[in-house]
Short mmCIF file of all heavy atoms in Angstrom, two decimals:
data_model
loop_
_atom_site.label_atom_id
_atom_site.label_comp_id
_atom_site.label_asym_id
_atom_site.label_seq_id
_atom_site.Cartn_x
_atom_site.Cartn_y
_atom_site.Cartn_z
N GLU A 10 -56.94 -68.79 -38.93
CA GLU A 10 -57.01 -67.46 -38.32
C GLU A 10 -55.74 -66.69 -38.78
O GLU A 10 -54.66 -67.22 -38.73
CB GLU A 10 -57.04 -67.48 -36.81
CG GLU A 10 -58.33 -68.11 -36.27
CD GLU A 10 -58.31 -68.15 -34.78
OE1 GLU A 10 -57.62 -67.30 -34.14
OE2 GLU A 10 -59.08 -68.95 -34.24
N ASP A 13 -51.74 -61.68 -36.25
CA ASP A 13 -51.95 -60.23 -36.04
C ASP A 13 -51.13 -59.42 -37.04
O ASP A 13 -49.99 -59.68 -37.26
CB ASP A 13 -51.52 -59.87 -34.61
CG ASP A 13 -52.49 -60.37 -33.54
OD1 ASP A 13 -53.68 -60.60 -33.95
OD2 ASP A 13 -52.08 -60.51 -32.41
N THR A 31 -58.65 -41.84 -36.92
CA THR A 31 -58.80 -42.28 -35.55
C THR A 31 -57.95 -41.43 -34.58
O THR A 31 -58.46 -40.94 -33.59
CB THR A 31 -58.46 -43.77 -35.37
OG1 THR A 31 -59.24 -44.50 -36.25
CG2 THR A 31 -58.65 -44.26 -33.97
N ASP A 35 -59.33 -38.98 -31.83
CA ASP A 35 -58.92 -39.05 -30.44
C ASP A 35 -58.40 -37.69 -29.97
O ASP A 35 -58.70 -37.29 -28.80
CB ASP A 35 -57.77 -40.10 -30.29
CG ASP A 35 -58.29 -41.48 -30.49
OD1 ASP A 35 -59.53 -41.69 -30.42
OD2 ASP A 35 -57.44 -42.45 -30.68
N ARG A 41 -61.88 -31.82 -26.52
CA ARG A 41 -63.20 -31.52 -26.00
C ARG A 41 -63.28 -31.84 -24.49
O ARG A 41 -63.89 -31.08 -23.71
CB ARG A 41 -64.28 -32.30 -26.75
CG ARG A 41 -64.73 -31.61 -28.01
CD ARG A 41 -65.86 -32.40 -28.64
NE ARG A 41 -65.10 -33.53 -29.05
CZ ARG A 41 -65.30 -34.30 -30.13
NH1 ARG A 41 -66.27 -34.20 -30.81
NH2 ARG A 41 -64.59 -35.27 -30.48
N ARG A 42 -62.69 -32.93 -24.09
CA ARG A 42 -62.69 -33.33 -22.67
C ARG A 42 -61.91 -32.24 -21.82
O ARG A 42 -62.39 -31.86 -20.83
CB ARG A 42 -62.10 -34.70 -22.44
CG ARG A 42 -63.01 -35.82 -22.83
CD ARG A 42 -62.45 -37.19 -22.32
NE ARG A 42 -61.18 -37.51 -22.95
CZ ARG A 42 -61.06 -38.22 -24.05
NH1 ARG A 42 -62.14 -38.61 -24.72
NH2 ARG A 42 -59.89 -38.52 -24.59
N ALA A 45 -64.08 -29.15 -21.63
CA ALA A 45 -65.18 -29.39 -20.70
C ALA A 45 -64.68 -29.33 -19.28
O ALA A 45 -65.37 -28.74 -18.43
CB ALA A 45 -65.83 -30.74 -20.97
N ARG A 47 -62.04 -27.65 -18.22
CA ARG A 47 -61.72 -26.25 -17.96
C ARG A 47 -62.98 -25.43 -17.72
O ARG A 47 -63.00 -24.66 -16.72
CB ARG A 47 -60.95 -25.65 -19.13
CG ARG A 47 -60.38 -24.25 -18.89
CD ARG A 47 -59.78 -23.69 -20.14
NE ARG A 47 -60.75 -23.43 -21.18
CZ ARG A 47 -61.58 -22.46 -21.22
NH1 ARG A 47 -61.67 -21.59 -20.25
NH2 ARG A 47 -62.47 -22.29 -22.23
N LEU A 48 -64.00 -25.63 -18.50
CA LEU A 48 -65.25 -24.96 -18.28
C LEU A 48 -65.92 -25.32 -16.96
O LEU A 48 -66.46 -24.43 -16.18
CB LEU A 48 -66.20 -25.20 -19.42
CG LEU A 48 -65.87 -24.51 -20.77
CD1 LEU A 48 -66.84 -24.96 -21.79
CD2 LEU A 48 -65.95 -23.01 -20.59
N LEU A 52 -66.71 -22.76 -13.96
CA LEU A 52 -68.02 -22.62 -13.37
C LEU A 52 -67.98 -22.82 -11.83
O LEU A 52 -68.64 -22.12 -11.09
CB LEU A 52 -68.94 -23.64 -13.99
CG LEU A 52 -69.44 -23.29 -15.36
CD1 LEU A 52 -70.28 -24.46 -15.96
CD2 LEU A 52 -70.23 -22.00 -15.41
N ARG A 53 -67.13 -23.78 -11.41
CA ARG A 53 -67.00 -23.98 -9.95
C ARG A 53 -66.40 -22.73 -9.27
O ARG A 53 -66.77 -22.34 -8.20
CB ARG A 53 -66.16 -25.20 -9.64
CG ARG A 53 -66.92 -26.52 -9.84
CD ARG A 53 -66.14 -27.70 -9.33
NE ARG A 53 -64.96 -28.01 -10.14
CZ ARG A 53 -64.91 -28.79 -11.26
NH1 ARG A 53 -66.04 -29.37 -11.59
NH2 ARG A 53 -63.82 -29.01 -11.90
N LEU A 80 -80.74 0.70 17.67
CA LEU A 80 -81.13 2.12 17.76
C LEU A 80 -82.63 2.26 18.09
O LEU A 80 -82.98 3.13 18.92
CB LEU A 80 -80.81 2.82 16.46
CG LEU A 80 -79.32 3.11 16.14
CD1 LEU A 80 -79.15 3.60 14.80
CD2 LEU A 80 -78.71 4.02 17.20
N ALA A 86 -86.58 2.77 24.69
CA ALA A 86 -86.23 2.78 26.09
C ALA A 86 -86.17 4.18 26.63
O ALA A 86 -86.69 4.49 27.68
CB ALA A 86 -84.94 2.02 26.36
N ARG A 99 -96.26 13.89 37.82
CA ARG A 99 -97.69 14.23 37.85
C ARG A 99 -98.49 13.35 38.73
O ARG A 99 -99.72 13.42 38.73
CB ARG A 99 -98.24 14.20 36.45
CG ARG A 99 -97.72 15.29 35.57
CD ARG A 99 -98.36 15.19 34.18
NE ARG A 99 -97.99 13.84 33.69
CZ ARG A 99 -98.09 13.47 32.42
NH1 ARG A 99 -98.60 14.26 31.55
NH2 ARG A 99 -97.68 12.30 32.03
N PRO A 102 -99.91 6.86 37.01
CA PRO A 102 -99.27 5.53 37.04
C PRO A 102 -98.03 5.55 36.09
O PRO A 102 -98.11 5.75 34.94
CB PRO A 102 -100.29 4.59 36.61
CG PRO A 102 -101.49 5.34 36.19
CD PRO A 102 -101.24 6.74 36.52
N PRO A 106 -97.25 1.03 32.54
CA PRO A 106 -96.97 1.15 31.07
C PRO A 106 -95.61 1.61 30.77
O PRO A 106 -94.86 0.85 30.09
CB PRO A 106 -98.02 2.11 30.57
CG PRO A 106 -99.07 2.33 31.64
CD PRO A 106 -98.32 1.90 32.92
N LEU A 115 -84.85 -2.40 27.25
CA LEU A 115 -83.46 -2.50 27.75
C LEU A 115 -83.01 -3.99 27.76
O LEU A 115 -81.89 -4.31 27.45
CB LEU A 115 -83.30 -1.85 29.09
CG LEU A 115 -83.39 -0.29 29.08
CD1 LEU A 115 -83.36 0.19 30.50
CD2 LEU A 115 -82.22 0.25 28.29
N GLY A 117 -84.25 -6.31 25.77
CA GLY A 117 -83.99 -6.64 24.36
C GLY A 117 -82.73 -6.14 23.83
O GLY A 117 -81.98 -6.79 23.10
N LEU A 118 -82.37 -4.93 24.26
CA LEU A 118 -81.07 -4.33 23.85
C LEU A 118 -79.91 -5.16 24.41
O LEU A 118 -78.91 -5.40 23.74
CB LEU A 118 -80.98 -2.86 24.33
CG LEU A 118 -79.86 -2.01 23.81
CD1 LEU A 118 -79.95 -1.95 22.25
CD2 LEU A 118 -80.01 -0.61 24.35
N LEU A 121 -79.67 -8.37 22.49
CA LEU A 121 -79.02 -8.12 21.19
C LEU A 121 -77.57 -7.91 21.29
O LEU A 121 -76.77 -8.43 20.45
CB LEU A 121 -79.74 -6.86 20.53
CG LEU A 121 -79.28 -6.52 19.13
CD1 LEU A 121 -79.64 -7.63 18.15
CD2 LEU A 121 -79.90 -5.20 18.70
N ARG A 127 -71.46 -12.80 20.91
CA ARG A 127 -71.26 -14.21 20.65
C ARG A 127 -71.02 -14.50 19.18
O ARG A 127 -70.27 -15.33 18.83
CB ARG A 127 -72.39 -15.03 21.16
CG ARG A 127 -72.40 -15.23 22.60
CD ARG A 127 -73.50 -16.26 22.96
NE ARG A 127 -73.43 -16.56 24.34
CZ ARG A 127 -74.27 -17.32 24.95
NH1 ARG A 127 -75.29 -17.85 24.27
NH2 ARG A 127 -74.18 -17.57 26.28
N ARG A 130 -67.42 -13.78 17.62
CA ARG A 130 -66.32 -14.62 17.96
C ARG A 130 -66.10 -15.70 16.95
O ARG A 130 -66.62 -16.24 16.23
CB ARG A 130 -66.55 -15.32 19.33
CG ARG A 130 -66.38 -14.34 20.48
CD ARG A 130 -66.45 -15.10 21.71
NE ARG A 130 -66.90 -14.22 22.77
CZ ARG A 130 -67.20 -14.62 23.97
NH1 ARG A 130 -67.05 -15.85 24.28
NH2 ARG A 130 -67.59 -13.78 24.85
#
Side-chain angles (χ1 to χ4, degrees):
E10 293 182 23
D13 288 335
T31 303
D35 289 345
R41 274 184 292 211
R42 283 192 297 271
R47 188 186 63 76
L48 287 175
L52 286 174
R53 284 189 291 272
L80 289 173
R99 290 181 300 194
L115 290 174
L118 192 58
L121 183 63
R127 280 190 176 176
R130 287 188 206 173

